[in-house]
Amino acid sequence: MASRPRSRRLRRTLLAALVAASVAVPTVGAAGPATVPAPVPAPLAPLSLAAPGDLAARYAANRSAVRAAEAMAEAHGDHGRAATLRAMAGEDHRLLSFDGRDGGRSVEVFGDLVGATRIAALVPGSDTRLDSHRFRSGAAALQRELGRGTAVLAWLGYRTPATLSAAATTSGRAEEAAPLLASFVRELASAAPRARLTLLCHSYGSVVCAEAADRLPVAGLVLYGSPGTGADRAADLGTTATVWAGRGTGDWIAHVPHVRASLAFGELGFGTDPVSPEFGARVFDAGTGGHSDYLRPGSVPLRNMARIVAGRDPADA
């Protein structure tokens, strides 16, 4: 008898999501995010790690691009965006790429990319922006946990959806982002052929990684705080990488219905829970934290994800 009330609650939750999405879709599509103009970035040479000077030149070119975007934002009257960009142009920011248009894209390096034998790329979820301090601090915390001979790349390479929007309940943004992510990872793999590459995909970012999975030359695919991937099973992702999944016991995303439904504008929801036995991923202990706590310094999930990046079994922790 206990399963019936739970089933009814699940149906009510899904129904509420369906109604909210059907109302939100035309609103989100009509209004769109406010954008600040930015110049078209100059083309960059293919990524090369052959010498430290190659990266130094790339970092310098991207600082120039950030400064140009800052000047345009200031002239537009968006002093907040200008301040964000001014900080990004500092010497402590090492950018592999930058594009200030359409809300902004960037890839930032933490650690020694030239000498790294283990490289992790973080793929963020909804509401991550150029000024998202938590994303950058999480990347820095992971690199510190990993230590020498490692690098962490904070890949903000797509237009992330707002958490409370219909875009966050469908795969549209992920489908846009997947070829961009795949292109970046292939270029990185070519530039660092001896490094072990791992993708760490948070929340909606796990949908992005799933869309690109069959094109990613990586050793590990880590889904954490995931609403689902759009696939019924890890085997359906078409990747040779080891697929890991973790969720903190205090993460609200556990209460999102793990279903898919067809509506007029497309599929709503992302299907099988990645930490369920049915999905078939290797599940790691993600501690007791909430949705934004996975990369918190000293936390269980940070330690375990660092072990995965290093090629070690988190069960040994």
mmCIF file of all heavy atoms in Angstrom, residues 81-106:
data_model
loop_
_atom_site.group_PDB
_atom_site.id
_atom_site.type_symbol
_atom_site.label_atom_id
_atom_site.label_comp_id
_atom_site.label_asym_id
_atom_site.label_seq_id
_atom_site.Cartn_x
_atom_site.Cartn_y
_atom_site.Cartn_z
ATOM 1 N N ARG A 81 28.778 43.715 -16.029
ATOM 2 C CA ARG A 81 29.475 42.825 -16.950
ATOM 3 C C ARG A 81 30.902 43.319 -17.187
ATOM 4 O O ARG A 81 31.845 42.528 -17.253
ATOM 5 C CB ARG A 81 28.708 42.740 -18.274
ATOM 6 C CG ARG A 81 29.446 42.024 -19.418
ATOM 7 C CD ARG A 81 29.958 40.643 -19.053
ATOM 8 N NE ARG A 81 28.921 39.709 -18.747
ATOM 9 C CZ ARG A 81 28.290 38.966 -19.659
ATOM 10 N NH1 ARG A 81 28.619 39.048 -20.920
ATOM 11 N NH2 ARG A 81 27.342 38.131 -19.286
ATOM 12 N N ALA A 82 31.072 44.637 -17.295
ATOM 13 C CA ALA A 82 32.405 45.196 -17.499
ATOM 14 C C ALA A 82 33.335 44.835 -16.336
ATOM 15 O O ALA A 82 34.500 44.487 -16.540
ATOM 16 C CB ALA A 82 32.331 46.707 -17.677
ATOM 17 N N ALA A 83 32.810 44.886 -15.109
ATOM 18 C CA ALA A 83 33.626 44.537 -13.939
ATOM 19 C C ALA A 83 34.014 43.061 -13.962
ATOM 20 O O ALA A 83 35.153 42.699 -13.632
ATOM 21 C CB ALA A 83 32.868 44.871 -12.656
ATOM 22 N N THR A 84 33.080 42.191 -14.353
ATOM 23 C CA THR A 84 33.376 40.765 -14.475
ATOM 24 C C THR A 84 34.498 40.532 -15.473
ATOM 25 O O THR A 84 35.449 39.779 -15.230
ATOM 26 C CB THR A 84 32.123 39.986 -14.905
ATOM 27 O OG1 THR A 84 31.155 40.029 -13.861
ATOM 28 C CG2 THR A 84 32.449 38.541 -15.227
ATOM 29 N N LEU A 85 34.406 41.194 -16.612
ATOM 30 C CA LEU A 85 35.410 41.012 -17.655
ATOM 31 C C LEU A 85 36.755 41.606 -17.254
ATOM 32 O O LEU A 85 37.805 41.054 -17.582
ATOM 33 C CB LEU A 85 34.905 41.641 -18.962
ATOM 34 C CG LEU A 85 33.660 40.975 -19.553
ATOM 35 C CD1 LEU A 85 33.142 41.765 -20.739
ATOM 36 C CD2 LEU A 85 33.962 39.538 -19.966
ATOM 37 N N ARG A 86 36.711 42.720 -16.525
ATOM 38 C CA ARG A 86 37.959 43.324 -16.066
ATOM 39 C C ARG A 86 38.720 42.346 -15.164
ATOM 40 O O ARG A 86 39.937 42.218 -15.251
ATOM 41 C CB ARG A 86 37.659 44.626 -15.326
ATOM 42 C CG ARG A 86 38.870 45.482 -15.021
ATOM 43 C CD ARG A 86 38.503 46.947 -14.865
ATOM 44 N NE ARG A 86 37.361 47.159 -13.996
ATOM 45 C CZ ARG A 86 36.158 47.597 -14.415
ATOM 46 N NH1 ARG A 86 35.942 47.845 -15.707
ATOM 47 N NH2 ARG A 86 35.169 47.771 -13.553
ATOM 48 N N ALA A 87 37.992 41.664 -14.299
ATOM 49 C CA ALA A 87 38.618 40.666 -13.435
ATOM 50 C C ALA A 87 39.160 39.486 -14.250
ATOM 51 O O ALA A 87 40.241 38.957 -13.970
ATOM 52 C CB ALA A 87 37.617 40.170 -12.393
ATOM 53 N N MET A 88 38.405 39.064 -15.273
ATOM 54 C CA MET A 88 38.831 37.936 -16.102
ATOM 55 C C MET A 88 40.094 38.236 -16.884
ATOM 56 O O MET A 88 40.815 37.315 -17.294
ATOM 57 C CB MET A 88 37.716 37.537 -17.073
ATOM 58 C CG MET A 88 36.540 36.845 -16.445
ATOM 59 S SD MET A 88 35.354 36.269 -17.684
ATOM 60 C CE MET A 88 36.293 34.962 -18.483
ATOM 61 N N ALA A 89 40.371 39.511 -17.124
ATOM 62 C CA ALA A 89 41.566 39.888 -17.880
ATOM 63 C C ALA A 89 42.822 39.865 -17.021
ATOM 64 O O ALA A 89 43.926 40.101 -17.528
ATOM 65 C CB ALA A 89 41.374 41.272 -18.497
ATOM 66 N N GLY A 90 42.688 39.566 -15.740
ATOM 67 C CA GLY A 90 43.838 39.534 -14.844
ATOM 68 C C GLY A 90 44.768 38.369 -15.137
ATOM 69 O O GLY A 90 44.375 37.369 -15.750
ATOM 70 N N GLU A 91 46.011 38.479 -14.675
ATOM 71 C CA GLU A 91 47.023 37.462 -14.934
ATOM 72 C C GLU A 91 46.697 36.123 -14.282
ATOM 73 O O GLU A 91 47.247 35.090 -14.672
ATOM 74 C CB GLU A 91 48.392 37.961 -14.446
ATOM 75 C CG GLU A 91 48.944 39.133 -15.227
ATOM 76 C CD GLU A 91 49.287 38.773 -16.665
ATOM 77 O OE1 GLU A 91 49.755 37.628 -16.893
ATOM 78 O OE2 GLU A 91 49.093 39.620 -17.554
ATOM 79 N N ASP A 92 45.813 36.136 -13.270
ATOM 80 C CA ASP A 92 45.482 34.878 -12.597
ATOM 81 C C ASP A 92 44.442 34.069 -13.356
ATOM 82 O O ASP A 92 44.103 32.953 -12.947
ATOM 83 C CB ASP A 92 44.994 35.145 -11.167
ATOM 84 C CG ASP A 92 43.765 36.045 -11.140
ATOM 85 O OD1 ASP A 92 43.625 36.886 -12.048
ATOM 86 O OD2 ASP A 92 42.971 35.919 -10.196
ATOM 87 N N HIS A 93 43.923 34.610 -14.456
ATOM 88 C CA HIS A 93 42.985 33.873 -15.307
ATOM 89 C C HIS A 93 43.713 33.428 -16.567
ATOM 90 O O HIS A 93 44.227 34.263 -17.322
ATOM 91 C CB HIS A 93 41.792 34.752 -15.692
ATOM 92 C CG HIS A 93 40.841 35.017 -14.566
ATOM 93 N ND1 HIS A 93 39.659 34.346 -14.407
ATOM 94 C CD2 HIS A 93 40.926 35.881 -13.532
ATOM 95 C CE1 HIS A 93 39.039 34.785 -13.324
ATOM 96 N NE2 HIS A 93 39.782 35.728 -12.779
ATOM 97 N N ARG A 94 43.744 32.122 -16.791
ATOM 98 C CA ARG A 94 44.412 31.585 -17.981
ATOM 99 C C ARG A 94 43.346 30.939 -18.865
ATOM 100 O O ARG A 94 42.854 29.839 -18.556
ATOM 101 C CB ARG A 94 45.491 30.593 -17.573
ATOM 102 C CG ARG A 94 46.632 31.253 -16.780
ATOM 103 C CD ARG A 94 47.615 30.242 -16.272
ATOM 104 N NE ARG A 94 47.000 29.330 -15.314
ATOM 105 C CZ ARG A 94 47.542 28.169 -14.947
ATOM 106 N NH1 ARG A 94 48.679 27.768 -15.470
ATOM 107 N NH2 ARG A 94 46.925 27.415 -14.058
ATOM 108 N N LEU A 95 42.997 31.632 -19.921
ATOM 109 C CA LEU A 95 41.879 31.225 -20.760
ATOM 110 C C LEU A 95 42.366 30.559 -22.045
ATOM 111 O O LEU A 95 43.133 31.147 -22.814
ATOM 112 C CB LEU A 95 41.011 32.429 -21.107
ATOM 113 C CG LEU A 95 40.400 33.189 -19.923
ATOM 114 C CD1 LEU A 95 39.611 34.391 -20.422
ATOM 115 C CD2 LEU A 95 39.503 32.272 -19.095
ATOM 116 N N LEU A 96 41.867 29.350 -22.282
ATOM 117 C CA LEU A 96 42.131 28.683 -23.560
ATOM 118 C C LEU A 96 41.286 29.272 -24.667
ATOM 119 O O LEU A 96 41.673 29.254 -25.831
ATOM 120 C CB LEU A 96 41.829 27.185 -23.459
ATOM 121 C CG LEU A 96 42.839 26.292 -22.760
ATOM 122 C CD1 LEU A 96 42.392 24.840 -22.859
ATOM 123 C CD2 LEU A 96 44.228 26.469 -23.333
ATOM 124 N N SER A 97 40.107 29.765 -24.298
ATOM 125 C CA SER A 97 39.243 30.409 -25.287
ATOM 126 C C SER A 97 38.317 31.376 -24.577
ATOM 127 O O SER A 97 38.051 31.250 -23.379
ATOM 128 C CB SER A 97 38.424 29.371 -26.072
ATOM 129 O OG SER A 97 37.518 28.698 -25.224
ATOM 130 N N PHE A 98 37.826 32.354 -25.336
ATOM 131 C CA PHE A 98 36.884 33.332 -24.801
ATOM 132 C C PHE A 98 36.065 33.908 -25.939
ATOM 133 O O PHE A 98 36.584 34.217 -27.012
ATOM 134 C CB PHE A 98 37.611 34.478 -24.082
ATOM 135 C CG PHE A 98 36.684 35.596 -23.677
ATOM 136 C CD1 PHE A 98 35.903 35.477 -22.535
ATOM 137 C CD2 PHE A 98 36.548 36.728 -24.466
ATOM 138 C CE1 PHE A 98 35.010 36.467 -22.190
ATOM 139 C CE2 PHE A 98 35.663 37.739 -24.117
ATOM 140 C CZ PHE A 98 34.894 37.600 -22.977
ATOM 141 N N ASP A 99 34.778 34.044 -25.687
ATOM 142 C CA ASP A 99 33.861 34.705 -26.619
ATOM 143 C C ASP A 99 32.824 35.420 -25.768
ATOM 144 O O ASP A 99 32.058 34.779 -25.043
ATOM 145 C CB ASP A 99 33.199 33.672 -27.534
ATOM 146 C CG ASP A 99 32.353 34.304 -28.629
ATOM 147 O OD1 ASP A 99 31.992 35.498 -28.508
ATOM 148 O OD2 ASP A 99 32.046 33.612 -29.619
ATOM 149 N N GLY A 100 32.806 36.739 -25.815
ATOM 150 C CA GLY A 100 31.905 37.512 -24.966
ATOM 151 C C GLY A 100 30.494 37.640 -25.493
ATOM 152 O O GLY A 100 29.629 38.198 -24.815
ATOM 153 N N ARG A 101 30.215 37.129 -26.673
ATOM 154 C CA ARG A 101 28.883 37.275 -27.270
ATOM 155 C C ARG A 101 27.869 36.305 -26.661
ATOM 156 O O ARG A 101 28.232 35.289 -26.092
ATOM 157 C CB ARG A 101 28.978 37.040 -28.779
ATOM 158 C CG ARG A 101 29.871 38.030 -29.516
ATOM 159 C CD ARG A 101 30.083 37.611 -30.960
ATOM 160 N NE ARG A 101 30.762 36.320 -31.033
ATOM 161 C CZ ARG A 101 30.889 35.610 -32.161
ATOM 162 N NH1 ARG A 101 30.370 36.072 -33.287
ATOM 163 N NH2 ARG A 101 31.524 34.445 -32.140
ATOM 164 N N ASP A 102 26.590 36.661 -26.793
ATOM 165 C CA ASP A 102 25.494 35.773 -26.402
ATOM 166 C C ASP A 102 25.635 35.267 -24.970
ATOM 167 O O ASP A 102 25.473 34.084 -24.686
ATOM 168 C CB ASP A 102 25.416 34.597 -27.383
ATOM 169 C CG ASP A 102 24.146 33.760 -27.177
ATOM 170 O OD1 ASP A 102 23.127 34.328 -26.725
ATOM 171 O OD2 ASP A 102 24.180 32.558 -27.453
ATOM 172 N N GLY A 103 25.973 36.171 -24.062
ATOM 173 C CA GLY A 103 26.094 35.794 -22.662
ATOM 174 C C GLY A 103 27.491 35.401 -22.252
ATOM 175 O O GLY A 103 27.843 35.468 -21.089
ATOM 176 N N GLY A 104 28.315 34.968 -23.209
ATOM 177 C CA GLY A 104 29.711 34.672 -22.907
ATOM 178 C C GLY A 104 30.041 33.201 -22.834
ATOM 179 O O GLY A 104 29.256 32.388 -22.341
ATOM 180 N N ARG A 105 31.204 32.835 -23.373
ATOM 181 C CA ARG A 105 31.744 31.482 -23.309
ATOM 182 C C ARG A 105 33.217 31.590 -22.905
ATOM 183 O O ARG A 105 33.905 32.531 -23.290
ATOM 184 C CB ARG A 105 31.687 30.780 -24.669
ATOM 185 C CG ARG A 105 30.355 30.870 -25.388
ATOM 186 C CD ARG A 105 29.337 29.892 -24.837
ATOM 187 N NE ARG A 105 28.153 29.889 -25.678
ATOM 188 C CZ ARG A 105 27.145 30.750 -25.570
ATOM 189 N NH1 ARG A 105 27.194 31.693 -24.641
ATOM 190 N NH2 ARG A 105 26.103 30.681 -26.366
ATOM 191 N N SER A 106 33.721 30.614 -22.187
ATOM 192 C CA SER A 106 35.135 30.609 -21.832
ATOM 193 C C SER A 106 35.565 29.206 -21.441
ATOM 194 O O SER A 106 34.747 28.374 -21.044
ATOM 195 C CB SER A 106 35.423 31.577 -20.680
ATOM 196 O OG SER A 106 34.838 31.102 -19.477
#
